[in-house]
């Protein structure tokens, strides 16, 4: 313990300009709920010191970059024996890498990028630097795979993220932009390609006129109908277009290979996953419209159970694009995108 790195005569400098948020608590072991809103580096230093009292750790609250080169100058870098990174963006990593190359300091580069994580050891005059090579760009997931034919957990995660962004971020931003400058918003929406302008304006009309919630009960109803649309109706429509026994033009089974035949769900208020979805969606909807929400599961369950949800009626003439190529071709013909199953 007393012979560890930075113990006794050594020094360990750490710096982070961010403060602790609640979401940070499930990703590490140094922060606790009572540390929320405090500086990350200061709290981490105190926690590490509690583990090893011989540790000589000095916390800073600075961003390392061109603007702080007066702090992290020649004297500072030349006194270092090595540098360890734990950064969440490539720009910051390449900056530190350049500084380490310039001052000939060893670097342990670690971090995450999307779903990938890595550790790279950089030794002056022996290994390549971090900036010497780059990972190949992430392969994008075809839109039709995300919306209609997922077959990997990454597809469902991306679909969930995109759906959340569309429902609770983009729509909120659209309402705010319209209220600030209606003419500018309409002009920008009209510049959209295909049927994008119509979809944007119709969604806005629903949010500020026809479907604007007047109470939290309205938010519960909206959330329950959203569940029905995402997990029952859209899947039923997909199977209406492509039944389980559907064949391709070559006579092969349509639902084969990476295309996995789905099945619509039936809402069960006693299923915690189903009810949690309604509770979360209702509260997010309420938050958008500055309304007080509720996390009383019993009350929300009772209201969701009492709702009369319209029966699904399949729609004829709905086009569901099977590939992005079909989607692009339809867009180029001026017909917009085919029906997207969410």
């Amino acid at each position: 313990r007393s012979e560890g790195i930075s113990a006794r005569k050594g020094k360990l400098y750490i710096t982070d300009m961010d403060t602790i948020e609640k979401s940070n608590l499930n990703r590490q072991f140094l922060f606790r709920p009572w540390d929320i809103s405090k500086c990350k580096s200061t709290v981490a230093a105190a926690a590490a010191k509690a583990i090893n009292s011989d540790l000589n750790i000095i916390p800073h609250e600075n961003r390392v970059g061109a603007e702080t080169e007066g702090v992290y100058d020649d004297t500072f870098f030349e006194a270092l024996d090595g540098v360890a990174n734990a950064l969440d963006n490539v720009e910051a990593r390449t900056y530190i890498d350049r500084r380490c190359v310039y001052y000939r300091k060893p670097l342990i580069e670690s971090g995450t990028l999307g779903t990938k994580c890595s550790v790279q050891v950089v030794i002056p005059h022996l290994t390549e630097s971090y900036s010497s090579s780059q990972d190949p760009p992430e392969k994008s997931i075809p839109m039709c795979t995300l919306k209609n034919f997922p077959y990997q957990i990454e597809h469902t995660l991306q679909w969930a993220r995109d759906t959340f962004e569309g429902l609770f971020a983009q729509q909120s931003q659209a309402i705010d932009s319209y209220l600030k400058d209606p003419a500018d918003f309409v002009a920008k929406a009209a510049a959209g390609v295909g049927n994008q302008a119509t979809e944007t304006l119709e969604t806005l009309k629903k949010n500020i006129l026809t479907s604007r919630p007047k109470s939290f009960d309205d938010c519960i109803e909206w959330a329950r109908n959203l569940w029905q649309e995402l997990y029952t109706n859209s899947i039923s429509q997909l199977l209406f277009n492509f039944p389980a026994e559907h064949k391709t033009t070559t006579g092969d089974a349509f639902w084969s290979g990476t295309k996995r035949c789905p099945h619509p769900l039936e809402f069960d208020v006693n299923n915690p996953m189903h009810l949690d979805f309604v509770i979360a969606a209702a509260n997010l909807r309420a938050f958008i419209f500055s309304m007080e929400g509720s996390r009383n599961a019993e009350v929300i369950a009772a209201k969701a159970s009492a709702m009369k949800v319209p029966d699904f009626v399949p729609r004829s003439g709905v086009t569901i694009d099977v590939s992005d190529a079909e989607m692009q071709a339809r867009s180029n013909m001026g017909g917009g995108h085919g029906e997207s199953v969410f």
Side-chain angles (χ1 to χ4, degrees):
R1 145 177 174 146
S2 62
E3 300 300 326
I5 296 175
S6 305
R8 296 189 180 277
K9 296 182 179 180
K11 291 181 181 180
L12 174 64
Y13 294 92
I14 63 171
T15 185
D16 196 322
M17 73 287 192
D18 285 340
T19 56
I20 299 167
E21 299 177 358
K22 187 175 182 179
S23 61
N24 298 136
L25 300 181
N26 65 351
R27 296 200 294 266
Q28 49 64 61
F29 58 89
L30 296 176
F31 305 150
R32 297 293 181 267
W34 51 83
D35 295 322
I36 292 174
S37 79
K38 297 178 182 178
C39 181
K40 288 181 178 180
S41 58
T42 303
V43 172
K49 186 80 172 177
I51 296 172
N52 182 358
S53 59
D54 291 328
L55 185 65
N56 187 10
I57 184 168
I58 303 169
H60 289 187
E61 300 178 7
N62 304 318
R63 178 183 183 275
V64 179
E67 66 274 23
T68 55
E69 288 183 0
V71 177
Y72 305 111
D73 54 11
D74 293 350
T75 302
F76 178 84
F77 267 94
E78 287 171 354
L80 297 179
D81 293 306
V83 176
N85 270 353
L87 299 166
D88 60 1
N89 67 90
V90 174
E91 180 183 0
R93 293 174 190 172
T94 54
Y95 173 82
I96 294 295
D97 179 65
R98 291 196 302 271
R99 299 289 277 177
C100 288
V101 168
Y102 180 81
Y103 291 105
R104 299 180 177 85
K105 299 298 178 181
L107 169 67
I108 298 177
E109 162 56 46
S110 65
T112 59
L113 186 61
T115 58
K116 297 189 299 183
C117 59
S118 62
V119 175
Q120 180 180 352
V121 177
V122 179
I123 302 175
H125 310 297
L126 184 61
T127 68
E128 68 175 8
S129 68
Y130 171 78
S131 305
S132 297
S133 61
Q134 293 183 337
D135 290 339
E138 295 274 358
K139 291 183 178 179
S140 60
I141 305 171
M143 188 64 65
C144 290
T145 297
L146 281 181
K147 293 183 176 180
N148 303 333
F149 311 109
Y151 58 90
Q152 294 179 348
I153 187 64
E154 290 84 357
H155 301 161
T156 59
L157 289 171
Q158 187 62 54
W159 171 85
R161 178 69 181 269
D162 291 348
T163 302
F164 182 96
E165 185 76 13
L167 289 171
F168 303 113
Q170 294 175 2
Q171 290 190 27
S172 177
Q173 292 164 2
I175 295 171
D176 185 61
S177 297
Y178 176 79
L179 294 177
K180 287 180 178 178
D181 192 337
D184 181 66
F185 178 85
V186 172
K188 290 179 178 178
V193 297
N195 61 353
Q196 183 180 356
T198 302
E199 292 177 355
T200 299
L201 294 176
E202 285 181 351
T203 300
L204 177 68
K205 180 181 177 182
K206 289 180 181 179
N207 283 327
I208 64 176
L209 294 175
T210 58
S211 300
R212 182 185 179 91
K214 298 179 177 63
S215 66
F216 186 63
D217 284 359
D218 290 342
C219 296
I220 296 174
E221 181 178 353
W222 177 87
R224 173 64 182 89
N225 284 324
L226 175 65
W227 190 100
Q228 193 74 13
E229 179 60 32
L230 292 176
Y231 303 114
T232 301
N233 296 353
S234 63
I235 303 301
S236 298
Q237 182 66 51
L238 181 61
L239 291 174
F240 178 79
N241 282 50
F242 306 110
E245 67 279 3
H246 188 69
K247 303 290 184 181
T248 66
T249 55
T250 59
D252 297 321
F254 178 85
W255 295 107
S256 62
T258 59
K259 287 188 174 67
R260 301 182 178 183
C261 188
H263 63 277
L265 300 181
E266 183 175 344
F267 182 78
D268 180 3
V269 74
N270 295 313
N271 186 318
M273 190 176 295
H274 296 189
L275 183 59
D276 285 349
F277 177 96
V278 174
I279 293 173
N283 277 278
L284 287 166
R285 180 77 168 173
F287 181 81
I288 289 174
F289 290 94
S290 302
M291 298 169 56
E292 184 177 354
S294 170
R295 288 173 174 77
N296 190 318
E298 291 184 5
V299 172
I300 295 175
K303 293 183 181 298
S305 299
M307 277 183 55
K308 175 60 178 176
V309 179
D311 294 330
F312 171 72
V313 178
R315 292 168 291 165
S316 300
V318 171
T319 300
I320 297 178
D321 296 314
V322 176
S323 68
D324 278 12
E326 286 187 8
M327 182 184 293
Q328 186 61 46
R330 191 179 307 280
S331 179
N332 292 340
M333 291 172 63
H337 297 318
E339 180 87 359
S340 295
V341 178
F342 290 95

